Amino acid sequence: MIPARGYQGRRVGVLGLGRSGLAAARALAAGGAQPVCWDDAEPARAAAAAEGFELGDLTREGAAWEGLAALIVSPGIPHLHPAPHRAVEIAFARGVAVDNDVGLFFRSAATEDWAAFDSPPRIVCVTGSNGKSTTTALIAHILRRAGRKAQMGGNIGRGVLDLDPLEDGETVVLELSSYQIELARALAPDVAVFLNLSPDHLDRHAGLGGYFAAKARLFELGGPERAVIGVDQPEGRFLANRMRENEGDGAPVIAVSARRVEDAGWSVTFRKGFVAERRGGRQVAAVDLRPARALRGAHNWQNAACAYAACRALGLSPRAIEAGLMDFPGLPHRLETVGEAGGVPFVNDSKATNADAAEKALSAFERVRWIAGGVPKAGGIAPLAPLFGRVAKAYLIGQAAPEFAAQLGEVPHEICGDLETAFALAAQEARPGEAVLLAPACASFDQFRDFEARGDAFRALARAWIARHDGRLAAADEEDAR
């Protein structure tokens, strides 16, 4: 845990008692503050009370607000759009500073001990609409693979204040959402990464401009030493231009693009499975990503390119980075190759809960046996029609099955009902060179608790199938030996 600094002996409100809220309360208490906790849900309040925290109804004027120095708000609680939470409104009216756990982290991570360190800790922050988790985990993996101490947290893994106090030479890699960035009163990454932007959370940010502005705060308020920025969209080009300091060399920006970046600065490009680094208009290093099974598809090439750039900014060599890219295991439920049998890979992309995510999964393979369906999203799979030529056959499950069948038209498909039936048919009918792919393009709630449970079920089915296949091969080899 990182003790929260700056509030010793003072009362601090904590609104929202999920993972980040409880971690903030513990960090405040460890730093000598007195947390006053509230959540609109009674079970969350009970959990906080069980840890000995004071409860106070922050949605009402009263004793809970007396002497409150600040209000720490969990990311999911709105503070502006579509409307501020009642407790936030009271804080505004009373002049109480509103912050979040990320702001507390950046105010608290550095300690007096750092002055004695040989190598001060570094902080890398990753944001964007798509690929944040993979890029964050990939950077942390590359660092550890190269022998560097690294922790990972934020919107993935551990909450920012639940991390261990930073040590000499250590790097912390944080995934930060727009919700986490927009309210933080302090942001100070050494390296900040902007991947991409697509419409999301528009009600929370009052439109795409507000959504981008929230993410841009990481760079504008944070003032990173190096800014790794995807520049294939107007927002990325705008942000890169704003961050550039010197005409010519482009510092501190490392521009990342699917196309060749025509400038004299520092850039990393990704195309056709290769990542190439350029400085001063000359290529200085390249990595072939095609053997990296966990980094299939153009979207993962962008993730890899941004991770490469961030690690170069941290001083790693191209060869050290390449080694980490090659053996990165990937994240569960995100184009996760569970295994292979008879030349057929079984790929779990249960996190593909909408058409945009499923598009990236389908684009990563030439020929697929596609398991799709669940609770449908608006538009279904109609936007994926340009990729239907890659589908050897679709196996449809859940509530969306009839709608998806109609949208597939003449593409071979079968309504299977449930995942077990769909998997059995797909595995039996798959031929070498095809992939059995779970990319549902749907929420899971009709048949599963969440996308993780759905992915776990697919993984279990695939492993059982592979074990039976390997057992049959072993039996056949034994028979041939006789």
Side-chain angles (χ1 to χ4, degrees), residues 167-181:
E167 298 180 357
D168 193 347
E170 188 172 30
T171 302
V172 170
V173 190
L174 302 178
E175 175 190 339
L176 297 183
S177 70
S178 57
Y179 289 10
Q180 292 170 303
I181 296 169

Side-chain angles (χ1 to χ4, degrees), residues 379-435:
I381 55 172
L384 303 180
L387 294 171
F388 285 172
R390 296 173 181 249
V391 180
K393 184 176 177 180
Y395 305 81
L396 306 177
I397 64 175
Q399 295 176 8
E403 176 187 341
F404 283 12
Q407 291 175 329
L408 283 163
E410 296 183 1
V411 176
H413 61 269
E414 187 167 343
I415 294 179
C416 302
D418 57 49
L419 178 60
E420 187 171 1
T421 302
F423 179 89
L425 283 171
Q428 290 166 11
E429 296 176 359
R431 299 291 177 262
E434 298 175 342

Side-chain angles (χ1 to χ4, degrees), residues 95 128 214 233 235 253 278 337 399 462 480:
Q233 295 173 290
E235 294 84 0
V253 174
R278 300 177 66 83
T337 300
Q399 295 176 8
D480 290 343

